[in-house]
Amino acid sequence: MSNHIVDFNWIGNQENFVDKPDILQLNHILVGRYGGNSNAGQYKNEDGCLVWLNEKENWEFIILLDAHNTSESAEVIVEQFVNDSSQIKDLLSLPTTHQTFKRFENKILNMFQSQEFLSACRNVKGETACLIVVRKDKYVWWFSVGDCILYLFHPDLFALGQYQLNQRQFYEWIGQVNTFEEEVPCYSVGIKELRQGENHFFLTTDGLIECPNEPYSNPSNIYNSFFNSQDGESIQSMLKNIQDNNVRDSTTIVSWKVNISKEATRASNQ
């Protein structure tokens, strides 16, 4: 693996991290995984994630999955993207224009609506939330089905109380129960311009924010966890904290920072 290209994926049934918080560093991206506490009744992990990045082409591509019943639905999605990886990476290498992001959305819709994918989903047990995030140049784009969360931390946004980019949607899944089987599939898509300076992306499944005693239900607690310590230590202490609060649900975190030198939009009178 050369230092500017990363190609990684993991599904919770490969290794479940029950009772064992784990931090993995992939270039400048950190992946935190915790399967939950066995003494709270946990014995399996149905999360999953995929992380691709290409430093030279200036992009990161992340998929975060939170399945239930079994991890089969997460596996089907990861498999689909791995099979189509060369086409997706071709799109990621295109110049940054609105059209590029549009093509990206169309590509994903075509994948999720293909007969082959739909029939694979009919054969799995359970379903998954799915959050897809692309950071390219000074923009972040996301495609979200279900309730995984994408935060963007930056002082300009923090000052105005904005942390979260996507809205959590309940009763939306891909898998045995599948929004793409409906006449009108339901999902949300968005694009956000990044601010000048350091932009911190933080993706998480809901184990973190729905932990007993809710240490991280307020995003400012997540933001503040990253002050005065190394990023890996911050995630380590968050996972330790939910472990100490006897969390049952598994948590998967993907976190990274990007410095943007380009000017960002400001109001005309600023």
Side-chain angles (χ1 to χ4, degrees):
M1 185 159 78
S2 73
N3 62 356
H4 61 263
I5 292 181
V6 168
D7 217 321
F8 167 83
N9 64 72
W10 157 84
I11 305 282
N13 63 357
Q14 297 163 348
E15 194 174 351
N16 65 28
F17 302 106
V18 172
D19 298 327
K20 289 197 298 259
D22 177 78
I23 308 285
L24 175 68
Q25 178 132 22
L26 302 165
N27 212 23
H28 61 289
I29 296 183
L30 289 161
V31 178
R33 295 173 287 185
Y34 185 54
N37 290 20
S38 60
N39 59 8
Q42 188 55 275
Y43 60 96
K44 60 183 179 175
N45 186 334
E46 295 162 340
D47 287 356
C49 70
L50 176 148
V51 176
W52 296 341
L53 72 90
N54 186 322
E55 261 184 318
K56 214 162 68 193
E57 294 178 356
N58 195 16
W59 55 258
E60 296 91 19
F61 176 87
I62 315 292
I63 303 178
L64 186 62
L65 300 152
D66 183 357
H68 58 249
N69 212 349
T70 75
S71 54
E72 291 171 17
S73 52
E75 281 178 75
V76 165
I77 290 176
V78 166
E79 208 169 285
Q80 180 75 42
F81 277 85
V82 168
N83 290 345
D84 276 19
S85 64
S86 63
Q87 287 181 349
I88 293 163
K89 287 171 184 173
D90 285 349
L91 287 177
L92 288 163
S93 69
L94 293 173
T96 311
T97 64
H98 183 236
Q99 201 46 45
T100 299
F101 290 114
K102 272 317 232 195
R103 288 175 68 173
F104 216 86
E105 181 181 345
N106 290 335
K107 170 68 185 155
I108 289 170
L109 288 175
N110 288 338
M111 286 165 72
F112 285 157
Q113 291 176 305
S114 72
Q115 282 316 310
E116 183 192 10
F117 180 76
L118 290 172
S119 77
C121 286
R122 287 179 204 122
N123 292 318
V124 302
K125 189 174 174 194
E127 44 275 329
T128 186
C130 174
L131 171 62
I132 302 171
V133 176
V134 175
R135 196 283 309 178
K136 187 165 166 59
D137 196 13
K138 67 163 187 165
Y139 299 95
V140 58
W141 174 94
W142 64 92
F143 183 107
S144 181
V145 174
D147 61 356
C148 295
I149 303 174
L150 165 60
Y151 295 113
L152 171 62
F153 298 121
H154 184 285
D156 289 0
L157 301 174
F158 189 80
L160 298 170
Q162 184 180 1
Y163 320 101
Q164 191 168 328
L165 293 188
N166 68 331
Q167 169 87 36
R168 295 178 75 202
Q169 301 290 351
F170 303 105
Y171 304 105
E172 264 183 21
W173 297 284
I174 302 175
Q176 184 183 351
V177 174
N178 192 346
T179 185
F180 291 98
E181 290 278 12
E182 300 295 321
E183 273 137 44
V184 180
C186 294
Y187 60 93
S188 47
V189 174
I191 305 181
K192 175 97 179 142
E193 180 191 31
L194 304 176
R195 310 298 300 162
Q196 195 167 22
E198 186 179 80
N199 291 264
H200 177 194
F201 300 95
F202 188 94
L203 285 62
T204 184
T205 58
D206 59 8
L208 183 75
I209 53 165
E210 290 178 359
C211 171
N213 307 317
E214 303 196 344
Y216 301 109
S217 60
N218 185 333
S220 61
N221 293 348
I222 299 175
Y223 182 76
N224 293 329
S225 303
F226 283 86
F227 282 107
N228 311 323
S229 68
Q230 295 291 318
D231 293 354
E233 289 164 17
S234 304
I235 295 174
Q236 191 85 49
S237 75
M238 292 167 92
L239 295 180
K240 173 85 173 72
N241 195 358
I242 61 173
Q243 183 175 20
D244 294 345
N245 278 285
N246 205 25
V247 72
R248 181 180 174 170
D249 197 9
S250 52
T251 293
T252 304
I253 292 167
V254 183
S255 169
W256 76 102
K257 291 176 176 172
V258 174
N259 260 306
I260 300 294
S261 54
K262 294 178 180 174
E263 286 279 330
T265 307
R266 292 198 173 275
S268 56
N269 61 354
Q270 273 183 311

